[in-house]
């Protein structure tokens, strides 16, 4: 007899067994746990980034255009994708699978838009000469500290490592959602909800990557422009 | 989520084809056995390496013709090179820690018995479970690959110790032998392993929280389940950090970044940035790697021992025919160890150039973690007190566990003090410490578990006589191997030394070194008995009844070996705590968790959770 | 069976403990000011944990001896434990452990929480695979500039001394550490390549040399003589050979040595190495 | 289980308003980017804002606010504790810049050949 059925036959206290203590199915709980663990991977990387930044001369090279404009639009995309995702989920909770599918497609669209924009943004930087192991020459000259210490090439390293890993998550998320959208008719509501959890998590991570990587590295004085 | 759990349960009818049944099985029991077999193979590799290491340490410069033919590069005309030795150390440590002590206790026995002990038909995610195993196996294959493609034919793997300290591990070929391909493979293997363990961990947690059968309240779970649960939480929270670190380290090696490599390095005649052999590096911090590693590393050592502790408590109670002493205290202790385990990683870094103030904080936290461990020790003694002890092999190993854990644990209290770590760090005192706790206490836990659960797993008994011989020699053997290492450490013998011939002050230790090696070789050879007993009994052992040990927990309610869905369709209902032995007035001296309440039992006394003041 | 096990546990305990008490293998005699305090703390800790170890093992042996199933007791004692006991031994161990932890900080604090006392003798230590370089400031007490770019192994300029810097004229670099007795020594530790570890067992003193960092540590050696100096952090293939000596010299002899120009310094050190013997181990 | 379990609490209106709030906070962040202010102060403010955004996403989009308290108490504390612990790294970050070995760095060669 299934856990769930037994739960109804013998209503027991939450933790006495035979019930789902959180009233949450296995997959959903599992996804939550995965999110906890994965967010620690990102925390580790972001902490590492801050650690290195705090102990080095750090360039702040991002111009308003393209970097900030792009990253802001990307942020907008992700946030909106989260919104469409919730719409999708609540639609599916109402059993309106077609609506749900439409909203999920919208979400995927925003997700893909994010990736495309991000890749273009990468392109800009790579053309400027940014690489995982070196800064563009003119950044170096601009951001050299008064005492002659050079700006750290770790800028590129951390930038590509963290945004890259995040982009990877977005990509997998998009594929995951595509599968869900395709099978949405067969899937239980909770499975749609779970895919939503993952997607929001990807969005959540960006809420920290964006300020820490982009906003904190804005070329306020327009030093590079000069 | 209607039908949620339902769907999980009946996801897989008993498979028929050999492949689906024994290879790509989603049955937690088969997967558990697969993990154990993996550990048994890994430990063979690890032990062999340790023997080679001992040979090189105690008889340096001797010609071992066999080695000469086996490793023409590593042991030219039979004489081991230093880099060969160091790669042995690295692989020995890595394989033992990751592929023996993180697979067998958790993935192996945990996988097999956690669902049964909580009365579930299977893990929450059977397919994920299978995936975890195969991912882990890939990790193992990659680490074995590192033996053969280490990048220098004079090594059998990378040189970096199992801690892979940067920048040595980050610089690549120019840092010397053992820094080539082998190191990449090492990192990749660890990363893969992290993923595998993560998936495993969330599976364990979900299963335990969601799938306990009716009446199996948290405080009625066997201590083994508490241990596996806590272990899973530790894994879930510590492996991702190592994963992050591993990614960065790999980038340093392959993408020319410098997360862990500072500027201005000059190595083997090359200045950083001189040419493509040594690209420019600057700004990295070697200490960052140590933080990331040990943030994982210390919880990892508890991942290694908690399941052993659980099994020990379980087995002590069973064969002392007596409820676990202070069940609730034991649960709190397990949790305290798990929690504090995250607060002490810095004790590996006292001497690393870390801020001396953080060092002090870590030191004090480190010694406080001794308290829950002490509590467990005392409760184990309490469990034996007043018992009617049956000395089965499993029991012997469980008692051995207690003895060895104390022996190894107390030296942790020495190392834990910043001042005393000044002379002791990176000496054999450390080696002695962690071999006693991890190297053999945890392993004894696994031995106990094997002898204890074998009948359930294979429906046959293991040979007790052989088992006891195995115990006596191993028990005495490991003391002879690892206790003398303390004094070596006090004299000041450094770890990871290929030879001790260079130093005058170490000369006096030579007899001790030889003694240890002989003990080690003897002990390792004894393990043949274990392997023989194991595989012989699988096919030829005496048939086992369903409950040969007269134990009380759910796994003994079902057939040996259990049917595909563990309880043949009818899930047990639990009425009392896990260790109700010697209950006064009860028909016999053990009451299964499933036995209905007898009239004379005071109501609500079933929970077995340390109803204190209950002494007679 | 129970009896045998008990006896074996007791014998193993006896063996282990005696190994520590005969002290046939023990610390080499200490030669630094902080060492006695440290050794006392070590002894104290060893005694405490030794007692605990013995107590626990003897207890364990007693249990398996006394409570083995002799068949004449029908059932074991039925108890789920005692919260009183739990509280007692939790607090007791907590007090002991935290006590040890706090006491264990004093030496550490004295060494690491404060700068080297004024008038300490400064040495720059530059470790590399697999050798030690000790950079002495000479008579002027000022170190010459060093620059990784200037490192030139062929010219034996291992630490990249800048010839152009007047301060380096009287400097000398040697693979042997020569320090004055009874005077604080300040080491500025750094590494050219990977992590190494400065260790002299007699000093009861260890510190990693981390590339990219200059870690300043200090100690005071108080016994003249020649001592072995080891690298205690895995640094690659020849880690076990990365050996040198520390000479603790009488003040005037040390003064004279430091005054010498580079090449005279070399020869003098060689003489001194011959003059002083290692302690009898 | 009973139908109410199926039901996904929170009206679309609510979600839209959350979305608007998130956008507003984002705009504030971008605006702040161009306000010259001490770096660590900026950092604190930004992290504060990000935490609020994170909280909104977790609570409403990820729906945790509508889950059982026990679930919240299981998920959040362990995450918070671990992340806080990671901050123990920082003293050593400052330390490694204070104790950095100063030398004239070679300007990285123009990375033309790497293209
Ligand atoms: C689980 C961990 C484990 C185990 C079991 C062992 C077992 C042994 N170790 Fe190991 N060792 C390490 C973990 C372990 N070691 C680590 C982490 C290091 C540090 C590496 C580094 O510096 O980076 C190390 C380093 C190390 C060194 C120091 C090298 C150096 O610093 O130069 C030495 C030296 O003698 C040594 C010796 C031995 C010996 C003789 C054995 C054994 O051979 C003793 C006899 C073996 C057993 C009693 C085990 C039998 C077990 C089974 C048969 C498995 C049963 C399995 C199931 C039931 C599923 N080890
Ligand atoms: C299973 C693994 C395991 C376990 C359980 C432990 C347990 C402990 N460890 Fe250990 N440790 C390792 C595995 C483990 N360790 C490994 C692998 C390394 C080396 C890594 C490397 O560098 O390669 C290491 C290294 C290590 C170091 C770093 C040494 C150095 O490199 O300089 C330190 C320092 O604090 C330490 C401390 C402790 C402490 C305080 C405990 C405590 O948890 C112990 C608590 C137990 C007891 C205290 C005994 C039982 C209590 C009683 C009997 C009560 C009565 C006692 C008294 C009244 C005193 N360990
Ligand atoms: Cu230098 Cu080891
Ligand atoms: Cu530790």
């Amino acid at each position: 007899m299934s856990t769930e059925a037994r739960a109804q036959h013998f209503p027991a206290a939450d933790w006495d067994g035979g019930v789902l203590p959180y009233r949450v199915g296995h997959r959903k709980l599992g996804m939550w746990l995965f999110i906890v663990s994965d967010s620690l991977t990102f925390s580790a990387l972001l902490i590492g980034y801050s650690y290195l930044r705090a102990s080095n001369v750090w360039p702040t090279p991002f111009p308003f255009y393209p970097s900030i404009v792009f990253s802001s639009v990307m942020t907008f995309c992700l946030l909106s994708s989260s919104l469409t995702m919730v719409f999708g989920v609540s639609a599916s909770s109402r059993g309106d699978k077609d609506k749900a599918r439409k909203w999920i497609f919208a979400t995927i669209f925003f997700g893909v838009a994010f990736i495309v924009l991000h890749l273009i943004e990468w392109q800009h930087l790579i053309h400027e000469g940014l690489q995982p192991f070196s800064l563009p020459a003119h950044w170096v000259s601009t951001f050299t500290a008064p005492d002659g210490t050079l700006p750290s090439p770790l800028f590129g390293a951390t930038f590509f490592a963290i945004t890259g890993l995040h982009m990877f998550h977005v990509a997998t998320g998009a594929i995951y959602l595509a599968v869900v959208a395709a099978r949405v008719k067969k899937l239980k509501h909770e499975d749609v909800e779970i895919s939503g959890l993952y997607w929001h998590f990807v969005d959540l991570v960006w809420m920290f990557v964006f300020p820490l990587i982009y906003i904190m590295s804005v070329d306020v004085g327009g030093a590079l422009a000069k | 989520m209607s039908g949620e759990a339902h769907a999980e349960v009946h996801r897989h009818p008993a498979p028929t084809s050999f492949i689906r049944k024994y290879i790509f099985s989603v049955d937690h029991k088969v997967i558990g056995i697969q993990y154990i077999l993996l550990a048994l193979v890994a430990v063979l590799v690890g032990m062999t390496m340790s023997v080679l290491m001992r040979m090189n340490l105690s008889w340096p410069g001797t010609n071992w013709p066999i080695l000469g033919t086996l490793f023409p590069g590593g042991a030219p005309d039979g004489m081991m090179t230093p880099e060969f030795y160091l790669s042995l150390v690295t692989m020995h440590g890595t394989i033992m820690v990751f592929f023996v002590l993180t697979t067998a206790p958790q993935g192996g026995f945990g996988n097999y018995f956690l669902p049964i002990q909580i009365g579930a038909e299977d893990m929450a995610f059977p397919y994920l479970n299978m995936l975890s195993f195969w991912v882990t196996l890939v990790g193992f294959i990659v680490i074995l690959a590192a033996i053969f493609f280490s990048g220098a034919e004079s090594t059998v793997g990378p040189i970096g110790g199992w801690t892979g300290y940067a920048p040595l591990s980050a610089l690549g070929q120019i840092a010397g032998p053992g820094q080539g391909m082998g190191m990449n493979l090492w990192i990749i293997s660890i990363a893969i392993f992290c993923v595998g363990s993560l998936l495993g961990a969330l599976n364990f947690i979900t299963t335990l929280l969601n799938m306990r059968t009716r009446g199996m309240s948290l405080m009625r779970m066997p201590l083994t389940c508490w241990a596996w649960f806590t272990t899973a939480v530790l894994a879930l929270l510590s492996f991702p950090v190592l994963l992050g670190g591993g990614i960065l380290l790999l980038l340093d090696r392959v993408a020319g970044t410098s997360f862990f490599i500072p500027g201005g390095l000059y190595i083997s005649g090359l200045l950083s940035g001189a040419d493509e052999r040594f690209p420019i590096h600057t700004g990295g911090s070697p200490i960052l790697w140590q933080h990331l590693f040990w943030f994982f590393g210390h919880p990892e050592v508890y991942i290694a021992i908690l399941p052993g502790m659980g099994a020990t408590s379980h087995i002590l109670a069973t064969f002392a025919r007596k409820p676990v002493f202070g069940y609730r205290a034991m649960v709190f202790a397990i949790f305290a160890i798990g929690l504090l385990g995250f607060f002490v990683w810095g004790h590996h870094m006292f001497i690393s150039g870390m801020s001396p103030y953080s060092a002090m904080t870590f030191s004090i936290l480190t010694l406080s973690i001794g308290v829950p461990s002490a509590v467990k020790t005392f409760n184990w003694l309490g469990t034996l007190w007043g018992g009617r002890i049956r000395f089965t092999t499993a029991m012997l190993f469980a008692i051995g566990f207690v003895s060895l854990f104390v022996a190894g644990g107390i030296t942790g209290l020495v190392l834990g003090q910043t001042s005393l770590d000044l002379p002791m760090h990176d000496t054999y005192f450390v080696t002695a410490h962690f071999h006693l706790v991890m190297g053999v206490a945890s392993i004894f836990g696994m031995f106990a578990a094997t002898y204890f659960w074998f009948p359930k797993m294979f429906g046959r008994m293991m040979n007790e006589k052989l088992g006891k011989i195995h115990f006596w020699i191993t028990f005495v053997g490991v003391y002879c191997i690892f206790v003398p290492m303390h004094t070596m450490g006090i004299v000041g013998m450094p770890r990871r030394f290929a030879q001790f011939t260079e130093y005058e002050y170490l000369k006096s230790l030579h007899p001790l070194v030889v003694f240890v090696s002989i003990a080690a070789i003897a002990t390792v050879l004894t393990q043949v008995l274990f392997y023989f007993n194991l595989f012989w009994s699988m096919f030829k052992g005496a048939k086992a009844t369903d409950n040969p040990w007269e134990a009380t927990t759910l796994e003994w309610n079902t057939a040996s070996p259990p049917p595909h869905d563990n309880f043949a369709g009818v899930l047990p209902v639990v009425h009392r705590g896990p260790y109700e032995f010697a209950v006064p007035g009860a028909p016999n001296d053990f009451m299964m968790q499933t036995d209905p309440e007898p009239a004379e039992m005071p109501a609500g006394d079933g929970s077995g959770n340390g109803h204190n003041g209950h002494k007679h | 069976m129970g009896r045998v096990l008990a006896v074996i546990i007791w014998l193993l305990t006896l063996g282990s403990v005696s190994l520590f008490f005969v002290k046939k293998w023990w610390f080499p005699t200490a030669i630094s000011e902080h060492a006695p305090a440290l050794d006392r703390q070590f002894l104290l800790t060893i005694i405490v944990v030794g007692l605990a170890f013995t107590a626990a093992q003897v207890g364990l042996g007693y249990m398996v001896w006394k409570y083995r199933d002799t068949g004449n007791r029908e059932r074991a004692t039925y108890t789920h434990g005692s919260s009183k006991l739990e509280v007692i031994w939790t607090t007791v161990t907590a007090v002991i452990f935290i006590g040890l932890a706090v006491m264990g900080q004093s030496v550490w604090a004295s060494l690491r929480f404060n700068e080297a006392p004024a008038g300490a003798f400064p040495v720059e230590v530059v470790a590399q695979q697999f050798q030690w370089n000790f950079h002495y400031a000479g008579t002027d007490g000022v170190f010459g500039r060093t620059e990784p770019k200037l490192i030139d192994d062929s010219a034996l300029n291992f630490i990249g001394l800048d010839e152009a810097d007047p301060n380096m004229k009287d400097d000398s670099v040697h693979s042997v550490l020569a320090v004055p007795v009874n005077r604080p020594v300040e080491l500025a530790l750094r590494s050219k390549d990977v992590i190494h570890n400065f260790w002299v067992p007699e000093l009861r003193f260890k510190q990693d040399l981390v590339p990219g960092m200059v870690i300043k540590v200090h100690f005071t050696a108080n016994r003249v003589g020649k001592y072995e100096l080891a690298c205690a952090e895995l640094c690659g293939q020849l880690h076990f050979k990365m050996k040198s000596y520390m000479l603790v010299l009488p003040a005037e002899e040390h003064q004279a040595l430091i005054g010498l120009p580079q090449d005279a310094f070399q020869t003098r050190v060689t003489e001194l190495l011959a003059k002083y013997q290692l302690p009898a181990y | 289980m009973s139908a109410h379990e199926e039901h996904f609490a929170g009206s679309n209106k609510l979600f839209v308003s959350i979305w608007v709030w998130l956008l507003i906070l984002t705009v504030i962040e971008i605006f702040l980017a161009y306000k010259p202010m001490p770096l660590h102060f900026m950092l604190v403010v930004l992290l504060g804002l990000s935490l609020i955004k994170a909280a909104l996403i977790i609570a409403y989009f990820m729906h945790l606010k509508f889950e059982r308290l026990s679930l919240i108490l299981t998920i959040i504390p362990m995450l918070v504790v671990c992340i806080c612990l990671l901050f123990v790294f920082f003293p050593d970050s400052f330390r490694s810049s204070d104790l950095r070995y100063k030398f004239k760095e070679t300007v990285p060669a123009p990375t033309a050949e790497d293209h």
Side-chain angles (χ1 to χ4, degrees), chain C:
Chain C
M1 183 68 71
R3 294 212 203 76
V4 186
L5 182 56
V7 171
I8 297 236
I9 292 178
W10 289 333
L11 286 180
L12 288 171
T13 313
L14 190 66
S16 315
V17 172
S18 48
L19 194 60
F20 281 79
F21 270 76
V22 294
K23 292 199 179 177
K24 173 162 175 10
W25 292 283
W26 204 251
F27 288 115
T29 36
I31 62 156
S32 63
E33 254 170 21
H34 67 269
L38 194 150
D39 289 1
R40 266 198 309 282
Q41 175 65 14
F42 184 82
L43 206 60
L44 172 75
T45 314
I46 280 294
I47 289 171
V48 173
V49 298
L51 288 174
F53 173 72
T54 321
Q57 302 286 5
V58 170
L60 187 64
Y62 171 79
M63 298 297 176
V64 294
W65 178 300
K66 179 115 189 308
Y67 297 109
R68 66 188 191 283
D69 185 2
T70 49
N72 51 22
R73 269 167 74 251
E74 194 261 331
R75 277 192 190 178
T77 328
Y78 181 72
T79 165
H80 287 101
S82 129
S83 32
K84 189 143 39 29
L85 278 176
E86 301 291 349
V87 174
I88 293 173
W89 59 48
T90 310
T91 35
V92 169
T93 40
V95 169
I96 298 179
F97 291 4
I98 307 289
L100 281 178
V102 172
M103 294 169 72
Q105 305 307 317
S106 56
V107 176
W108 177 260
S110 70
L111 285 174
R112 297 295 163 91
F113 287 2
N114 43 29
E115 313 274 286
F121 172 71
V123 184
E124 240 185 33
V125 187
V126 184
Q128 74 185 69
Q129 281 182 334
F130 299 92
Q131 102 186 29
W132 295 95
N133 306 292
F134 296 97
H135 179 192
Y136 302 89
T139 43
D140 64 357
V142 188
F143 290 106
R145 244 182 91 260
T146 59
E147 193 61 63
K149 266 203 293 313
L150 302 175
I151 296 174
D152 180 354
D153 298 349
S154 56
L156 301 182
N157 183 358
F158 296 113
I159 67 172
L161 259 179
D162 180 358
E163 306 289 340
D165 180 3
N167 290 327
M168 67 75 62
K169 292 284 170 283
D170 61 347
D171 290 12
S172 37
V173 179
H174 197 287
S175 65
V176 170
L177 173 61
V179 300
V181 71
N182 292 327
R183 174 177 163 195
V185 178
E186 177 172 51
L187 303 180
L189 304 164
R190 57 191 174 87
S191 162
K192 278 163 63 177
D193 37 40
V194 301
I195 302 179
H196 302 271
N197 186 310
F198 171 90
W199 189 33
V200 179
E202 284 83 353
L203 281 179
R204 310 281 191 277
F205 188 89
K206 245 197 215 85
Q207 176 57 52
D208 275 3
L209 296 85
V210 184
M213 281 171 95
V214 183
I215 299 174
K216 285 203 159 74
V217 289
H218 56 90
F219 59 84
T220 310
N222 58 12
R223 178 171 306 164
V224 173
K226 177 171 85 173
Y227 307 97
E228 281 171 316
L229 187 162
C231 171
E233 187 62 69
L234 176 59
C235 52
Q237 180 191 21
L238 298 183
H239 166 53
F240 73 106
K241 274 203 169 133
M242 185 164 165
K243 171 191 177 181
S244 181
Y245 293 97
M246 180 176 83
L247 285 165
V248 181
L249 302 173
E252 54 288 348
E253 197 171 26
H254 183 260
Q255 267 308 330
L257 173 69
I258 296 307
L260 296 171
Q262 174 74 1
D263 38 11
F265 189 99
Q266 305 286 350
T267 42
R268 180 62 184 143
V269 170
T270 330
E271 293 165 21
L272 290 168
L273 283 176
K275 174 179 172 190
Y276 290 101
Q277 301 310 321
L278 287 170
Y281 293 113

Side-chain angles (χ1 to χ4, degrees), chain B residues 490-511:
Chain B
I490 294 177
V491 171
M493 179 181 279
R495 296 170 63 177
R496 298 166 175 177
F497 261 32
Q499 280 170 28
F500 303 113
T501 47
E502 299 295 314
Y503 290 85
E504 284 307 317
Y505 77 98
L506 295 176
K507 293 262 194 294
S508 66
L509 283 168
H510 190 254

Side-chain angles (χ1 to χ4, degrees), chain B residues 36 40 43 47 50 53-54 57 85 89 92-93 96-97 101 104 161-162 428 431 434-435 438-440 443 446-447 450 474 478 481-482 485 495-497 520 523-524 527 530-531:
Chain B
I36 293 174
L40 284 168
V43 84
M47 278 197 291
S50 72
M53 281 148 60
R54 290 313 312 180
L57 287 176
Y85 173 83
V89 172
H92 167 75
M96 286 295 200
V97 173
L101 274 194
W162 79 286
Y428 267 67
T431 313
F434 69 71
H435 275 93
M438 177 164 77
V440 282
I443 290 282
M446 289 310 99
F447 280 134
T450 315
T474 311
V478 293
I481 302 172
F482 295 118
M485 285 188 183
R495 296 170 63 177
R496 298 166 175 177
F497 261 32
T523 315
V524 170
Q527 305 312 314
F530 173 71
Y531 278 84

Side-chain angles (χ1 to χ4, degrees), chain B residues 162-163 294 298 301-302 304-305 347-348 350 366-367 369-370 373-374 377-378 405-406 409-410 412-413 415-417 421 424-426 430 433-434 437-438 442 495-496, chain C residues 48-49 52 56 93 96-97:
Chain B
W162 79 286
T163 54
W294 287 120
H298 190 80
V301 305
Y302 290 110
I305 198 152
H347 65 215
H348 297 272
F350 290 154
T366 297
L367 266 69
I369 206 174
S373 319
T377 311
F378 294 135
F405 176 70
V406 172
I410 50 172
L413 304 174
L415 296 167
Q417 301 175 38
D421 202 40
M424 287 313 166
H425 175 70
D426 264 339
V430 179
H433 157 70
F434 69 71
V437 270
M438 177 164 77
S442 310
R495 296 170 63 177
R496 298 166 175 177
Chain C
V48 173
V49 298
T93 40
I96 298 179
F97 291 4

